[in-house]
Amino acid sequence: MEKMEQEVRNCIDVLKKGGIILYPTDTVWGIGCDATNANAVDKIFQLKKREESKALICLVSNFKMLEQYVEDVPETAYDILKYAKKPTTIIYDKPVHIAENLVSDDDSLGIRVVRDTFCSDLIKKLKRPLVSTSANVSGQPTPQSFDQITPQILKGVDYVVNLQRSKKSLKPSAIIKLSNDGQVSVIRK
């Protein structure tokens, strides 16, 4: 437990300075930063060689935090998240208080409420959402374990979390788009 607390502190130091981290999420190894820092978000786009039009997602620690970063959370979201058997990212309309370069052209943002202890502790202590994107260059396969992460990504981040390195990744999260007009679309099962 003490090791995890130290890793959280190390990450907080880097994130508060606008750095980017490589960390184990509730699904796959992710590249992350403070989701309210546009310069840090830019660093991730550059490292991944990803077009800014391809959105990244954010992680929050609980429903209360979710409500701080989405103008109007549809009631359906709570039911979906309460009964989801696996990590589920929901794309919401009208995100607020978030780096502008994270928000899609259609004014939406994918956000996942995490259940993973490390991620949840990190986000609670940061007091802000955390960007999460797979630890690969755009177009390359998503690494299924820490060993599959390329040297380019390892060298491109400011800090690599020293936890769960032997863990095999789960699949990426399910993605559902919930529009404020009541439309629900499954993007990825």
Side-chain angles (χ1 to χ4, degrees), residues 24-30 57 59 85-89 112 132 134 142-145 167-175 188-189:
T25 73
D26 52 345
T27 55
V28 298
W29 272 83
I57 68 163
L59 305 180
K85 298 207 182 327
K86 69 182 214 172
T88 301
T89 301
R112 185 163 73 249
S132 180
S134 56
T142 299
Q144 298 304 304
S145 65
K167 179 183 128 186
K168 286 276 185 245
S169 293
L170 302 167
K171 289 185 168 76
S173 70
I175 300 177
R188 180 170 69 200
K189 286 187 175 182

Side-chain angles (χ1 to χ4, degrees), residues 5-156:
E5 288 170 21
Q6 183 59 52
E7 288 297 321
V8 167
R9 281 194 298 273
N10 294 348
C11 288
I12 297 288
D13 288 345
V14 170
L15 294 167
K16 284 192 171 175
K17 292 176 187 156
I20 59 176
I21 62 169
L22 179 65
Y23 67 109
T25 73
D26 52 345
T27 55
V28 298
W29 272 83
I31 301 170
C33 70
D34 172 350
T36 65
N37 184 327
N39 291 333
V41 172
D42 274 340
K43 289 181 191 175
I44 291 179
F45 278 119
Q46 288 166 14
L47 177 60
K48 285 187 63 88
K49 296 180 171 42
R50 187 176 174 121
E51 296 170 41
E52 283 197 30
S53 60
K54 290 191 80 178
L56 304 174
I57 68 163
C58 292
L59 305 180
V60 294
S61 56
N62 52 39
F63 289 138
K64 186 177 177 199
M65 184 180 265
L66 172 66
E67 291 160 0
Q68 292 172 342
Y69 293 94
V70 175
E71 191 174 284
D72 182 28
V73 178
E75 280 302 312
T76 320
Y78 300 104
D79 291 335
I80 290 170
L81 295 173
K82 195 161 111 183
Y83 298 109
K85 298 207 182 327
K86 69 182 214 172
T88 301
T89 301
I90 296 181
I91 300 170
Y92 299 93
D93 288 340
K94 296 188 174 35
V96 292
H97 314 299
I98 216 85
E100 282 184 21
N101 51 351
L102 269 181
V103 180
S104 292
D105 293 340
D106 67 352
D107 197 21
S108 68
L109 176 65
I111 302 176
R112 185 163 73 249
V113 178
V114 291
R115 296 178 182 159
D116 174 81
T117 308
F118 172 74
C119 287
S120 185
D121 285 358
L122 176 56
I123 295 163
K124 282 177 188 164
K125 288 194 172 69
L126 182 64
K127 297 182 176 80
R128 295 189 188 121
L130 192 61
V131 168
S132 180
T133 181
S134 56
N136 60 321
V137 171
S138 256
Q140 300 296 314
T142 299
Q144 298 304 304
S145 65
F146 181 81
D147 299 343
Q148 292 178 4
I149 299 169
T150 64
Q152 179 182 359
I153 295 294
L154 292 167
K155 289 178 189 145

Side-chain angles (χ1 to χ4, degrees), residues 74 76-77 80 90-93 176-187:
T76 320
I80 290 170
I90 296 181
I91 300 170
Y92 299 93
D93 288 340
I176 297 170
K177 181 161 179 39
L178 279 187
S179 299
N180 286 350
D181 63 7
Q183 277 193 306
V184 178
S185 317
V186 176
I187 310 291

